[in-house]
Amino acid sequence: MRTAATSDLWWKNAVIYCLDVETFLDTNGDGIGDLRGVIARLGHLSRLGVTTLWLNPIHASPRRDDGYDVTDFYSVHPQIGTLGDFVDLLNEAANHGIRVMIDLVVNHTSNEHPWFVSARGDPASPYRDWYVWSDARPDDVRQGIVFPHHQATTWTHDRKAGAWYFHRFYDFEPDLNAANPRVRDEILRIMGFWLQLGVAGFRVDAVPFVLEKPPRGRSKQQIHFEYLREFRELLQWRVGDAVLLGEANVPPDQTMPYFAGGDGLHMMFNFWVNQHLFLSLATADARPLAKALRETRKLPPTAQWAHFLRNHDELDLGRLSAADRNRVFDEFGPQPAMQLYGRGIRRRPAPMLGDVRRLQLAYSVVLSLPGTPVLRYGDEIGMGDDLRLKERAAIRTPMQWSAEPNAGFSTAQTLVRPVVGRGVFAYEHVNVEQQRREPGSLLRWTARMIRLRKQCPEIGWGDWRIVATGARSVLAIEYRWRGSTIICIHNLAADPCEASLRVDGETLSNLIDEEDLRPDRRGTYRIPLEPYGYRWLRCGELNQALARDVVG
């Protein structure tokens, strides 16, 4: 068994790809994607350069909330396959050099879960205290609502139980009571089960809500970060190099306890940087992004941020000021149908950013940020969205594999969700098969940039600093590791500009187009940047073989 001491911290330079099994590829003609479909497309992920596959919920569920309403944590939903299919996926993924992570959804269950059915049916049930109850009506049943205008309360009265139960999300998702040691023991068993099958770790859903529950009586609300240490201890004991990737949308001054000095989460999604990235893109001003990066730079040595352009939910802008949020809305989601929960945008990057140069710039930024990049399925080809679908479903449409009927996703007449079939992003125009043949396609560009990111371990391992450029629209980050230096420069504006850099080194070698840059007599590099232009530069003489490999 590998231990933490011998682990190579593989997540430092991983490239993570997230997908919904049910919308990826249907192999049995029932209109629902399945695990066999994921296996059939591992070659696509391998060619793209993916090193880690993250699967959204795969467990048995009524699927009223895309599988986050779990009824059995030890199973695979029968519509997507069997445990045997899942093990086959793990084995085949390993043959492609790809690790597999799954969602760990332990803040709540479905109200159809046998635990809750038992808990509500009998006050003496051994599962009664596995959930959060109140005999009297809580003072504010709307406090802490996550989905404004789509969620009525956070407390619901259950007639059969004769009590109120707490649910941070929908009323059909009652919260588990992690303060109960038996619940935490069960969470550890769930983790151990999937680790034994061979998963590389877990994306932990709604981490703050797992650790906190509403106060009872006059007691104060507490966040139990020690639970994370329990999860981490089990993880490291079972599989030394498995990881916990946490979803916690918290401000910078609240992040460190989640890492627990290196004994908590291995990685967290950097929502703070993501929101300020979109503010910088909307305003063509790199300063908000640079400031957000500085505010989140403090981490334990073994920890890492996970950076993303879009995840599987809405683009959450809730941490921005109202004025800044409105600026992003005006630029990327001006219509009410494009917005969600009063804080987010429910569009995919391609239609949101418009200009393909701007889209490529945005992904170049994400790939070059200090952390681990996470990509959402379909974004490698610039898939669009369907705003006619409700809430978050707008960006959860089937993968577009070809121009064949149903985008090559399924042969069924009725699909789990309709494919994007109208406009410039319709599957006839945007699909994998077509872009694989086109040298200048977004798919092939993305594969080249992922290859470049994997050849720059300085980004995952190195120390970094923001470098002054003399241009408000330009972000430049310098990485140093083991005597090697990488500088990534991005112009966020639609206008050309010139960046002025003062860095060590007699030569800056462009890793994308093999162009050597030299400083002027004063030691300043003057780098012209086209609209939405970017450069990845290595200090020192250009290694021509490496450059040819990256560009080719």
Side-chain angles (χ1 to χ4, degrees):
M1 180 193 304
R2 301 182 70 180
T3 65
T6 61
S7 171
D8 62 358
L9 306 184
W10 56 267
W11 58 90
K12 288 277 189 174
N13 279 294
V15 177
I16 301 174
Y17 187 95
C18 171
L19 63 84
D20 291 312
V21 174
E22 67 171 12
T23 55
F24 201 59
L25 181 66
D26 168 27
T27 60
N28 62 10
D30 65 356
I32 300 172
D34 45 58
L35 291 168
R36 288 289 162 190
V38 180
I39 294 172
R41 290 294 184 261
L42 287 172
H44 168 74
L45 302 184
S46 180
R47 287 188 293 271
L48 187 60
V50 170
T51 66
T52 307
L53 176 60
W54 156 32
L55 302 179
N56 288 148
I58 61 173
H59 307 309
S61 163
R63 302 199 72 80
R64 297 178 64 186
D65 185 21
D66 281 328
Y68 287 91
D69 48 332
V70 178
T71 55
D72 183 358
F73 291 101
Y74 298 96
S75 72
V76 167
H77 194 289
Q79 288 183 318
I80 69 167
T82 66
L83 281 174
D85 293 330
F86 182 76
V87 172
D88 283 348
L89 170 60
L90 295 177
N91 290 332
E92 291 298 325
N95 290 337
H96 285 83
I98 297 174
R99 303 171 191 259
V100 178
M101 300 173 61
I102 64 171
D103 263 355
L104 183 66
V105 187
V106 291
N107 174 67
H108 53 262
T109 69
S110 165
N111 61 359
E112 299 179 27
H113 195 292
W115 301 340
F116 189 74
V117 172
S118 174
R120 69 187 290 259
D122 183 357
S125 166
Y127 297 104
R128 183 74 165 200
D129 198 37
W130 283 42
Y131 295 88
V132 182
W133 298 93
S134 175
D135 291 333
R137 186 182 191 275
D139 293 335
D140 189 352
V141 297
R142 294 184 56 83
Q143 184 176 2
I145 282 179
V146 175
F147 304 135
H149 311 299
H150 296 268
Q151 176 186 356
T153 66
T154 52
W155 288 91
T156 293
H157 185 264
D158 185 88
R159 291 183 179 181
K160 189 170 185 178
W164 297 75
Y165 66 89
F166 181 73
H167 50 91
R168 179 66 73 168
F169 298 97
Y170 298 111
D171 61 2
F172 55 82
E173 292 174 327
D175 272 28
L176 285 166
N177 177 19
N180 184 337
R182 290 179 298 162
V183 171
R184 298 201 303 280
D185 286 345
E186 188 67 26
I187 292 173
L188 295 179
R189 279 191 286 272
I190 293 167
M191 293 172 59
F193 177 84
W194 293 99
L195 288 168
Q196 190 68 29
L197 289 182
V199 302
F202 305 93
R203 176 264 190 185
V204 189
D205 182 59
V207 177
F209 301 151
V210 175
L211 308 181
E212 67 180 12
K213 287 294 176 284
R216 298 184 178 187
R218 297 183 178 180
S219 63
K220 293 184 178 180
Q221 189 176 44
Q222 295 181 340
I223 302 179
H224 296 277
F225 291 106
E226 65 271 19
Y227 299 165
L228 291 177
R229 293 180 184 270
E230 294 180 25
F231 302 160
R232 174 73 174 256
E233 183 178 348
L234 181 280
L235 194 83
Q236 302 290 184
W237 178 64
R238 290 292 184 92
V239 180
D241 64 354
V243 299
L244 295 173
L245 169 57
E247 180 199 33
N249 186 355
V250 295
D253 61 354
Q254 297 179 22
T255 59
M256 291 306 292
Y258 290 91
F259 293 110
D263 291 327
L265 297 173
H266 298 79
M267 295 192 289
M268 276 176 59
F269 290 102
N270 199 328
F271 287 92
W272 187 260
V273 163
N274 177 258
Q275 296 178 52
H276 288 84
L277 166 59
F278 273 92
L279 177 58
S280 285
L281 289 170
T283 59
D285 186 344
R287 292 176 299 175
L289 174 55
K291 183 173 183 289
L293 287 167
R294 293 188 182 102
E295 290 170 334
T296 57
R297 72 175 303 152
K298 186 178 180 182
L299 288 176
T302 59
Q304 184 81 300
W305 286 115
H307 290 293
F308 58 99
L309 190 62
R310 279 294 276 114
N311 62 8
H312 58 295
D313 295 329
E314 73 279 7
L315 169 59
D316 194 335
L317 305 171
R319 296 292 177 184
L320 298 179
S321 68
D324 286 340
R325 185 163 54 250
N326 286 332
R327 298 176 82 175
V328 181
F329 278 154
D330 290 343
E331 181 69 14
F332 298 130
Q335 301 174 18
M338 299 174 176
Q339 302 171 15
L340 190 61
Y341 308 137
R343 64 172 185 259
I345 298 175
R346 62 190 204 106
R347 306 179 72 191
R348 275 201 184 248
M352 193 162 37
L353 297 176
D355 191 326
V356 68
R357 297 173 303 171
R358 198 182 200 183
L359 182 64
Q360 291 175 341
L361 165 84
Y363 270 109
S364 179
V365 170
V366 169
L367 288 167
S368 67
L369 290 178
T372 300
V374 182
L375 306 177
R376 176 71 172 156
Y377 82 93
D379 285 346
E380 72 269 30
I381 59 173
M383 271 178 56
D385 43 51
D386 188 346
L387 298 178
R388 297 172 299 173
L389 301 178
K390 295 181 178 180
E391 299 180 60
R392 293 167 164 176
I395 64 165
R396 299 177 179 181
T397 57
M399 181 68 176
Q400 295 169 197
W401 294 108
S402 70
E404 297 177 357
N406 293 333
F409 161 73
S410 174
T411 59
Q413 294 295 318
T414 303
L415 307 183
V416 62
R417 201 162 284 142
V419 297
V420 176
R422 301 192 305 179
V424 297
F425 296 101
Y427 65 85
E428 292 94 344
H429 312 302
V430 178
N431 62 73
V432 172
E433 184 179 274
Q434 180 187 51
Q435 292 195 19
R436 189 177 294 158
R437 296 194 300 263
E438 298 175 355
S441 70
L442 180 62
L443 174 61
R444 296 184 66 163
W445 176 91
T446 303
R448 290 194 296 270
M449 292 301 294
I450 288 176
R451 191 186 317 159
L452 174 57
R453 169 63 178 83
K454 291 162 71 175
Q455 291 174 341
C456 296
E458 297 90 343
I459 298 175
W461 282 101
D463 295 325
W464 62 271
R465 69 184 181 102
I466 305 292
V467 180
T469 64
R472 178 178 295 186
S473 66
V474 178
L475 176 74
I477 308 178
E478 178 188 83
Y479 296 92
R480 292 176 178 267
W481 183 64
R482 292 186 176 178
S484 180
T485 301
I486 292 286
I487 302 173
C488 299
I489 308 171
H490 294 86
N491 174 24
L492 307 184
D495 299 315
C497 68
E498 181 179 80
S500 299
L501 304 180
R502 293 186 65 87
V503 295
D504 296 335
E506 297 181 357
T507 305
L508 291 179
S509 301
N510 192 329
L511 296 179
I512 297 176
D513 63 13
E514 305 187 29
E515 172 191 9
D516 279 5
L517 305 176
R518 298 187 182 278
D520 61 19
R521 295 178 180 179
R522 297 182 179 181
T524 300
Y525 287 91
R526 301 190 181 280
I527 305 173
L529 293 168
E530 62 275 13
Y532 304 125
Y534 49 91
R535 303 286 187 273
W536 288 43
L537 307 169
R538 188 183 296 277
C539 292
E541 294 299 323
L542 178 64
N543 183 327
Q544 294 289 345
L546 174 61
R548 283 194 299 271
D549 182 49
V550 170
V551 176

